[in-house]
Amino acid sequence: MRALTWQGTGKVSVETVPDPTIQEPTDAIVRMTSTAICGSDLHLYDVLGMYIDPGDILGHEPMGVVEAVGSAVTHIKPGDRVVIPFNISCGHCWMCRKGFFAQCETTQVKGHGKGASLFGYTKLYGQVPGGQAELLRVPQAQFGPIKVPDGHPDERYLFLSDVLTTSWQAVRYADVEPGDTVLVTGLGPIGQMCARIARHLGAGRVIAVDDVPERLAMAERNGIEVIDYSKVEDVPEAVREMTAGRGADGVVEAVGMEAHGTPFQAAAMKAAGMLPDPLARKATETFGVDRMGALRTAFDAVRRAGTISIIGVYGGEADPFPMMELFDKGVTLRMGQAHVKRWVDDIMPLLTGDDDPLGVDDLVTHRVPLEEAPGAYDMFKEKRDGCIKVVLKP
């Protein structure tokens, strides 16, 4: 089969690799029909190469048609149309029974002290081949795959794999109540959907921050107030001016380590990625190398006794937090990988009808054949051609 593989920092290529096969009774093989590029994939492309080997298959936002299932898989069958959650969970361990599927004890990568295994996402998370390929082996398929109906194109359901479920959790974790003012930092795909979901769940006002014109325009046409931070001297102060001096009730930080920060932090991230793998791993695990600009905006812009939900991905182990400020303000912090299947029953009814209350149909900006994936990665990274979300078609 053909698959998108990591070949080095800033370099991916489509290669011919062996077809996956059923290895365990709980496996399934799914032929990909759509598979998206995530902002988190850019972290592998640019920064986290010390945890990847050349030839690793990337991608964790896949869907397709079931080709084969193991003997223990009974809820799906060949021919079914399915979305695959990005985290691999068993459904029956202690964590899964509690609904914490991103911490599944069956697939936890205990050797690295990490949570559930993820598709296409480094040795830290199991080094499981990803979904930017023609075929995908799905472990724990007795639980993971989400069966979806016919009647809509893939893109109506594809983002159950990550974007929709991640955004839904992020908004829930921000403790949004009817009438609240919610601030979203970053208007990439996750930020776009966080803003729309916050509005759908009853926020009285949703404000979002970015500086990319196409992202701002997409948010505005979906009913979101926007702040272009390239035109505002002090974003938190602008938020307070819009909220009677108080600040946002809840903030969703949807940027992560792509955020602008100090020149030192930016240089540290770049330098860590260029070190030999053992040294790069040590630097990442020992020092705070994330750029903290979006987090600092969130900390400053939230009202006293408000809640910050961090859904942007961070990689540093010793990043500096302004603990005195957070303690004094009485801020609640929540964060973590999305427990995908915890939220599917809430979201699915919003996707199956003829209407589109979450605006899912207005997210994808580029549809690209799998063979053209390397150019799509570069376009997505550089935000060229109005690129906000790319779907690959194997």
Side-chain angles (χ1 to χ4, degrees):
M1 69 171 182
R2 301 287 282 171
L4 189 282
T5 63
W6 187 88
Q7 296 296 335
T9 300
K11 183 179 181 183
V12 294
S13 64
V14 179
E15 306 289 343
T16 298
V17 301
D19 288 0
T21 60
I22 298 287
Q23 298 178 24
E24 302 289 342
T26 51
D27 286 352
I29 304 298
V30 178
R31 180 168 293 280
M32 299 288 92
T33 55
S34 295
T35 179
I37 301 176
C38 178
S40 297
D41 291 327
L42 296 183
H43 304 156
L44 310 183
Y45 187 66
D46 270 344
V47 180
L48 299 178
M50 70 288 290
Y51 298 110
I52 319 174
D53 291 329
D56 282 0
I57 301 171
L58 305 184
H60 58 269
E61 296 187 6
M63 73 173 290
V65 177
V66 178
E67 289 224 329
V69 297
S71 59
V73 179
T74 58
H75 80 293
I76 57 170
K77 64 184 185 304
D80 284 347
R81 189 185 189 200
V82 295
V83 174
I84 310 300
F86 74 91
N87 41 32
I88 302 169
S89 37
C90 71
H92 58 74
C93 69
W94 189 92
M95 284 288 182
C96 286
R97 290 198 305 273
K98 294 286 188 180
F100 301 133
F101 301 115
Q103 307 297 339
C104 173
E105 292 178 324
T106 300
T107 73
Q108 278 179 14
V109 187
K110 295 180 174 67
H112 289 287
K114 295 295 184 283
S117 296
L118 310 179
F119 286 103
Y121 216 80
T122 80
K123 298 173 185 176
L124 296 176
Y125 290 98
Q127 207 167 22
V128 181
Q132 291 171 5
E134 292 179 321
L135 294 166
L136 177 67
R137 171 181 167 254
V138 181
Q140 303 298 326
Q142 84 288 346
F143 176 71
I146 303 161
K147 189 174 177 179
V148 299
D150 295 324
H152 288 296
D154 280 6
E155 290 156 18
R156 178 63 72 92
Y157 301 109
L158 173 62
F159 304 120
L160 286 169
S161 62
D162 184 351
V163 176
L164 278 173
T165 45
T166 293
S167 301
W168 193 277
Q169 175 173 302
V171 175
R172 287 297 192 193
Y173 276 16
D175 294 334
V176 175
E177 296 183 359
D180 277 357
T181 295
V182 177
L183 175 69
V184 178
T185 63
L187 281 169
I190 297 292
Q192 296 283 346
M193 294 313 307
C194 285
R196 300 176 206 180
I197 288 168
R199 186 193 59 195
H200 175 77
L201 292 177
R205 193 173 189 184
V206 182
I207 305 165
V209 183
D210 207 295
D211 72 336
V212 179
E214 293 85 358
R215 292 179 171 191
L216 295 167
M218 177 179 279
E220 284 187 306
R221 69 175 175 259
N222 282 278
I224 309 303
E225 295 181 69
V226 300
I227 296 174
D228 182 343
Y229 69 73
S230 69
K231 298 179 180 178
V232 174
E233 185 173 338
D234 186 331
V235 170
E237 184 58 32
V239 173
R240 283 189 287 273
E241 289 176 0
M242 298 169 74
T243 56
R246 186 173 296 118
D249 300 295
V251 178
V252 178
E253 202 292 270
V255 179
M257 62 184 173
E258 293 177 83
H260 295 290
T262 68
F264 172 78
Q265 286 171 312
M269 286 182 69
K270 185 175 182 180
M274 294 175 66
L275 291 169
D277 284 357
L279 295 177
R281 287 193 290 269
K282 185 67 174 177
T284 300
E285 293 163 7
T286 304
F287 304 111
V289 297
D290 294 312
R291 286 181 281 183
M292 304 282 287
L295 272 178
R296 292 190 180 280
T297 295
F299 297 156
D300 196 3
V302 71
R303 67 161 166 81
R304 290 180 176 274
T307 301
I308 297 171
S309 172
I310 303 170
I311 201 63
V313 175
Y314 288 88
E317 288 280 12
D319 292 311
F321 266 46
M323 291 305 299
M324 183 171 66
E325 176 188 356
L326 296 173
F327 182 84
D328 177 68
K329 291 179 74 171
V331 170
T332 298
L333 290 178
R334 298 193 72 182
M335 64 195 80
Q337 302 277 10
H339 307 295
V340 171
K341 294 203 70 175
R342 183 171 178 172
W343 312 110
V344 169
D345 289 346
D346 292 330
I347 302 170
M348 186 70 81
L350 305 175
L351 305 178
T352 54
D354 292 332
D355 58 347
D356 182 19
L358 300 182
V360 177
D361 294 341
D362 183 22
L363 185 64
V364 177
T365 55
H366 292 75
R367 298 159 184 84
V368 177
L370 179 64
E371 294 293 330
E372 298 177 17
Y377 262 77
D378 189 60
M379 174 181 62
F380 186 33
K381 174 192 170 185
E382 300 298 334
K383 303 179 179 68
R384 292 197 308 268
D385 192 28
C387 184
I388 296 175
K389 188 65 175 177
V390 180
V391 173
L392 304 175
K393 295 292 185 177

